[in-house]
Amino acid sequence: MTALSELNDDIVRSMTVASVFSDFGGQINSLDFHRKEDLLITASEDDSIRLFDIANGKLLKTAYHKKHGADRICFTHHPHSVICSSIHNLDLHGESLRYLSMYDNRCLRYFKGHKERVVSLCMSPVNDSFMSGSLDHSVRIWDLRVNACQGILRLRGRPAVAYDQQGLVFAVAMEGGAVKLFDSRSYDKGPFDTFLVGGDTAEVCDIKFSNDGKSMLLTTTSNSIYVLDAYGGEKRCGFNLDPSPTAMEATFTPDGQYVVSGSGDGNLHAWNINTLNKVSSWDSHIGVPSCLKWAPRRVMFVAASSVLTFWIPNHGAGDAAGAQTEQVTLQ
């Protein structure tokens, strides 16, 4: 068992492909890990939603959603329930978001309101609230228990949204490199702080908080990654990537000490954000990855294009493809 405190440059450098799933019928649009269970959910261009057991590297279930498609996806607190955004028939039905049961493949609730595609989606870590950001230049706050939208934020450009790990604060990034922080209990009073990513006015396509809440990770449409201090907004570090035809995703390790990202050259890169050193670069083996996330409780990350790959440490013994993923002990 590898403790979180033991994650170091050598372990990160040793990451290698353990499992490959190549039967998707198109690009994987998004993916998410459950916070407490060893589960991964994916949403793909082939209209499929797939549930995986990450401890054993197994596909558990596939469901197709031909009417609405499958674009952004995230787990709710229940391990077999997800929120998924639609990509088909938005003008016809207006059913931009669905609350789905993977257990019996039912739609539990529709959420109507967005007029354009949802590009950012996240679930509160502490209650039934969730947020969606859309190309209609709005962020909507919802509650799983009711159909009606609970709140709307109007803004400029493409939004990206994220809750901190305590669910007390959420961040909204928008055009011009602006990041606004809101109290999740009184967001109607407006942001309590605004950061500017100096010198980069590109749209932010993804934003994440580190588990300790001290840092924020921003990925922009100009192929740059920034790590900001979550309290003061100062830029801790930044990394430039090779140009990519699609938006890319970067991820923190669970301890918040490393950042892993894809790149337009088809490689994956890892940096230590304390020393600012590049720890490793790997051939992704899948081209330019559209999705990349580190598992919340394991020494494991996944990268996806039209192929899904599980990465774990290679300790130099045996076949990595047959190894079990390492459990992280959260401090």
Side-chain angles (χ1 to χ4, degrees), residues 16-18 312-324:
T16 190
V17 175
I312 63 171
N314 178 2
H315 295 299
D319 180 8
Q324 295 290 303

Side-chain angles (χ1 to χ4, degrees), residues 299-315:
V299 182
M300 169 192 179
F301 68 83
V302 297
S305 55
S306 58
V307 178
L308 176 66
T309 52
F310 290 6
W311 292 67
I312 63 171
N314 178 2
H315 295 299

Side-chain angles (χ1 to χ4, degrees), residues 235-278:
K235 186 162 64 176
R236 294 184 58 188
C237 54
F239 311 104
N240 293 316
L241 307 171
D242 285 356
S244 167
T246 59
M248 289 180 294
E249 187 174 13
T251 184
F252 281 119
T253 51
D255 60 2
Q257 304 307 304
Y258 297 88
V259 167
V260 182
S261 172
S263 182
D265 60 3
N267 289 325
L268 304 174
H269 305 284
W271 296 271
N272 184 316
I273 65 173
N274 294 312
T275 64
L276 305 185
N277 292 328
K278 181 182 283 190

Side-chain angles (χ1 to χ4, degrees), residues 112-299:
K112 298 182 180 182
H114 284 303
K115 305 302 182 186
E116 301 286 346
R117 179 175 159 240
V118 170
V119 292
S120 188
L121 184 65
C122 63
M123 183 81 201
S124 167
V126 295
N127 58 35
D128 286 329
S129 298
F130 69 97
M131 283 190 301
S132 56
S134 168
L135 294 178
D136 64 11
H137 299 178
S138 74
V139 169
R140 289 178 178 256
I141 295 95
W142 311 86
D143 188 307
L144 283 176
R145 297 166 293 184
V146 294
N147 296 78
C149 177
Q150 303 298 292
I152 306 175
L153 304 173
R154 307 284 184 185
L155 42 88
R156 304 183 312 275
R158 172 193 177 120
V161 296
Y163 283 99
D164 78 336
Q165 296 301 315
Q166 287 72 45
L168 300 175
V169 172
F170 66 79
V172 178
M174 60 194 73
E175 73 176 13
V179 179
K180 295 182 181 293
L181 297 184
F182 294 81
D183 185 325
S184 59
R185 297 159 297 183
S186 55
Y187 55 82
D188 54 323
K189 296 179 180 178
F192 65 82
D193 209 347
T194 300
F195 306 152
L196 292 174
V197 184
D200 193 336
T201 58
E203 290 181 324
V204 175
C205 50
D206 187 50
I207 183 169
K208 293 181 174 74
F209 282 91
S210 59
N211 279 352
D212 60 12
K214 295 179 180 179
S215 303
M216 285 189 293
L217 178 63
L218 277 64
T219 310
T220 74
T221 53
S222 63
N223 308 295
S224 296
I225 299 171
Y226 299 103
V227 178
L228 305 185
D229 181 276
Y231 302 120
E234 295 87 2
K235 186 162 64 176
R236 294 184 58 188
C237 54
F239 311 104
N240 293 316
L241 307 171
D242 285 356
S244 167
T246 59
M248 289 180 294
E249 187 174 13
T251 184
F252 281 119
T253 51
D255 60 2
Q257 304 307 304
Y258 297 88
V259 167
V260 182
S261 172
S263 182
D265 60 3
N267 289 325
L268 304 174
H269 305 284
W271 296 271
N272 184 316
I273 65 173
N274 294 312
T275 64
L276 305 185
N277 292 328
K278 181 182 283 190
V279 175
S280 187
S281 293
W282 310 276
D283 183 341
S284 73
H285 305 292
I286 59 171
V288 179
S290 53
C291 304
L292 182 69
K293 275 193 173 72
W294 196 289
R297 302 184 309 116
R298 290 185 176 270
V299 182

